[in-house]
Amino acid sequence: VQLVESGGGSVEAGGSLRLSCEASDFTESSEASEFTETNQCMGWFRQAEGKGREGVVSRNKDGIITYGDSVKGRFTFSQDKKKNSFYLQLNSLKPEDTAKYYCAPGLCSLDDVPYYARGAKGYWGLYTQVTVS
């Protein structure tokens, strides 16, 4: 299943962006269960140039949403099952938020970010770039 990420861009510090992640190119809803069913794990992580992955947000199967310490109070996760999409609202952006952002269907915990692999979940896609100056 292809992941289509969008919404990134270049903004000034203090600005906002809304990232989207849509599942496409599937015929059976079971192929993209993280998008089509309730209480599924999903999240986002990011990677800045020259640095390792950083967990941004995860939602587990109990519906508990966990944000990384660096984004708490500024970023908000949401989902729209009718559109097979989930979102990340980025507010009060800082230069240190500059990174490649990856949506992560099937990510249940921020602790799993270093080991997360889209391919293992049946997904493939690129990323959306966020640049804050």
Side-chain angles (χ1 to χ4, degrees):
V1 177
Q2 182 180 2
L3 300 173
V4 180
E5 291 142 304
S6 61
S10 296
V11 297
E12 294 184 349
S16 298
L17 289 170
R18 187 184 190 221
L19 308 186
S20 300
C21 177
E22 179 183 4
S24 67
D25 194 26
F26 63 95
T27 54
E28 298 291 334
S29 61
S30 59
E31 296 176 68
S33 60
E34 286 81 2
F35 292 84
T36 60
E37 298 179 10
T38 57
N39 300 329
Q40 295 296 307
C41 294
M42 51 178 61
W44 293 82
F45 66 90
R46 66 188 182 186
Q47 187 162 18
E49 191 71 29
K51 296 187 177 180
R53 292 179 174 183
E54 179 187 8
V56 175
V57 62
S58 65
R59 187 187 73 185
N60 65 18
K61 292 194 174 185
D62 293 322
I64 297 173
I65 299 172
T66 303
Y67 294 94
D69 289 342
S70 62
V71 306
K72 281 180 184 176
R74 301 188 298 123
F75 291 8
T76 303
F77 172 87
S78 63
Q79 180 185 11
D80 186 337
K81 287 196 301 177
K82 292 181 179 179
K83 296 182 179 180
N84 296 325
S85 296
F86 59 96
Y87 308 95
L88 186 66
Q89 178 68 40
L90 286 59
N91 295 331
S92 303
L93 282 162
K94 304 175 181 180
E96 51 264 44
D97 294 318
T98 296
K100 294 179 173 65
Y101 283 71
Y102 299 82
C103 64
L107 180 69
C108 297
S109 167
L110 294 182
D111 292 339
D112 296 333
V113 165
Y115 318 108
Y116 175 83
R118 287 172 167 179
K121 306 292 184 182
Y123 294 96
W124 66 275
L126 298 176
Y127 57 86
T128 188
Q129 175 71 43
V130 171
T131 303
V132 185
S133 60

